[in-house]
Amino acid sequence: MPTKDKILVIGSSGQIGTELVQNLREIYGIDGVIASDVKVTEQAKDGPFEVIDVMNASALLEIVKRHQVTEIYLLAALLSATAEKMPKFGWDLNMQGLFNVLDLAKEKIIKKVYWPSSIAVFGPNTPKVDTPQYTIMEPSTVYGISKQAGERWCEYYFNKYNVDVRSLRYPGLIGWKSAPGGGTTDYAVHIFHEALKTGKYECFLSENTTLPMMHMEDAINATIGIMQADASKVKIRSSYNLGGFSFSPKEIAAEIQKHIPNFSISYNPDSRQQIADSWPQSINDEYARKDWGWNPKYDLKSLTINMLENLKKNYQ
Ligand code: AKB
């Protein structure tokens, strides 16, 4: 096995991957990080890139061996809203992809795995406020069921095969460098683009739907933070609760109006409302803070300023 870290990011052209690859390359160098997705994307211009279908275990193995990969960040997945439209494919992709990567670590071909979980592991019977790490879960979406099952498998591979797998339960993620795709929390990114572009936004969730959210910069720091933490500090091998702050569409609209007074919002809830209603409103992340030093930087006020300042350049 090579001594130098060589990282493969699978599903690298999505909302998280786009920023994660940039940040990892600042740490490990351009050639230390291989980006990969199911098809060639713009990212291929920036450094090593492979086309990978994570469902194809033998093709994945060939690429891992050829590049002498030591760590995999597995981001390829169907998110909550898309998986409801394609339940069988959502389950297959989210589970088989995870097994293919965990098995590489079980066989000691790679050393470490990062796999994202989500607040979607919680369900309608979960306590909604300050949701604890350990509580009733019972997810009611395909995505949530696949994430909860995935968490159980991660812990199982750690206990049974000593696989060094690390995971975070992301809330809704908001960033200006990349677009979200297929999630229930996507509105919280779209709203900024529409505020700057048209001055108005029609929200697919109702005005008082409070959900846990986080700036992408904080999410990336948490991801790299847990991956770089000493193994002894990563005590939870299913997935850690990760909290940022919480708001409703009405509250974020009011925050945007402080900067764009004419901005207006209307509400037209669709099928994503039911998904949002099954999720927590805020997250207790005391274990992440205690075990490996998680500490987010952004709140709603600073996130709004940061998003508007950066996105403004696109619309001037
Ligand atoms: C989604 O909305 O599906 C995701 C998530 C919370 O995991 N952003």
Side-chain angles (χ1 to χ4, degrees):
M1 215 179 255
T3 47
K4 217 165 162 265
D5 290 327
K6 192 77 176 260
I7 293 172
L8 174 65
V9 182
I10 301 176
S12 63
S13 302
Q15 190 197 11
I16 301 170
T18 304
E19 287 205 33
L20 183 64
V21 167
Q22 288 171 5
N23 280 260
L24 288 173
R25 283 189 172 147
E26 278 165 26
I27 302 169
Y28 297 95
I30 303 234
D31 291 334
V33 182
I34 300 140
S36 74
D37 220 304
V38 275
K39 57 180 189 330
V40 180
T41 67
E42 285 291 300
Q43 235 178 5
K45 292 183 190 148
D46 304 332
F49 186 95
E50 292 282 353
V51 172
I52 294 182
D53 175 0
V54 70
M55 307 279 272
N56 186 339
S58 56
L60 176 63
L61 175 64
E62 188 279 314
I63 287 165
V64 164
K65 283 192 166 164
R66 177 153 45 84
H67 288 280
Q68 299 198 298
V69 169
T70 59
E71 292 182 18
I72 293 183
Y73 289 69
L74 171 57
L75 306 178
L78 284 200
L79 295 191
S80 55
T82 316
E84 287 308 295
K85 294 190 186 120
M86 294 182 256
K88 180 72 172 58
F89 178 61
W91 172 258
D92 287 347
L93 174 67
N94 294 1
M95 295 314 299
Q96 193 56 50
L98 176 60
F99 278 123
N100 289 348
V101 171
L102 286 178
D103 283 338
L104 291 172
K106 178 185 164 193
E107 301 303 330
K108 307 298 170 206
I109 295 164
I110 58 169
K111 289 196 282 197
K112 224 190 251 186
V113 176
Y114 178 78
W115 176 78
S117 187
S118 160
I119 54 163
V121 292
F122 299 114
N125 296 322
T126 304
K128 282 209 173 298
V129 177
D130 202 30
T131 301
Q133 175 74 35
Y134 300 106
T135 185
I136 298 167
M137 298 175 89
E138 301 181 358
S140 55
T141 63
V142 174
Y143 175 63
I145 295 168
S146 73
K147 287 295 177 189
Q148 196 196 25
E151 287 191 6
R152 298 287 85 228
W153 279 112
C154 287
E155 193 183 88
Y156 185 89
Y157 270 64
F158 173 75
N159 287 333
K160 277 267 172 176
Y161 310 122
N162 205 17
V163 164
D164 189 353
V165 54
R166 303 168 184 214
S167 177
L168 302 170
R169 291 172 179 159
Y170 291 132
L173 301 181
I174 305 165
W176 52 271
K177 292 186 187 165
S178 54
T184 302
T185 57
D186 294 8
Y187 92 85
V189 178
H190 298 155
I191 194 170
F192 285 103
H193 288 269
E194 292 305 317
L196 288 162
K197 227 183 342 182
T198 64
K200 56 183 197 298
Y201 178 64
E202 185 181 272
C203 187
F204 57 75
L205 297 182
S206 64
E207 60 184 335
N208 292 321
T209 310
T210 300
L211 287 170
M213 299 279 184
M214 180 177 291
H215 195 297
M216 184 61 85
E217 202 179 303
D218 278 331
I220 300 291
N221 285 339
T223 306
I224 296 176
I226 192 173
M227 281 299 269
Q228 291 189 335
D230 191 89
S232 63
K233 294 198 164 149
V234 185
K235 298 197 171 80
I236 294 174
R237 295 301 183 139
S238 50
S239 192
Y240 276 92
N241 272 10
L242 197 67
F245 47 92
S246 298
F247 57 79
S248 64
K250 192 172 156 187
E251 285 163 341
I252 194 174
E255 198 60 41
I256 292 172
Q257 277 157 351
K258 290 182 187 163
H259 306 271
I260 307 174
N262 293 334
F263 172 64
S264 68
I265 184 163
S266 56
Y267 303 93
N268 186 11
D270 65 17
S271 57
R272 288 168 280 193
Q273 183 66 46
Q274 206 186 350
I275 301 176
D277 287 342
S278 77
W279 288 353
Q281 293 178 354
S282 59
I283 297 290
N284 180 312
D285 59 5
E286 61 184 312
Y287 286 90
R289 289 171 186 266
K290 189 166 50 102
D291 288 357
W292 46 272
W294 160 241
N295 190 15
K297 181 171 130 189
Y298 285 91
D299 58 14
L300 176 57
K301 193 169 167 222
S302 52
L303 170 127
T304 305
I305 293 170
N306 179 271
M307 286 294 286
L308 292 174
E309 266 176 9
N310 284 292
L311 287 177
K312 216 183 268 174
K313 297 165 201 154
N314 297 351
Y315 297 109
Q316 266 164 359

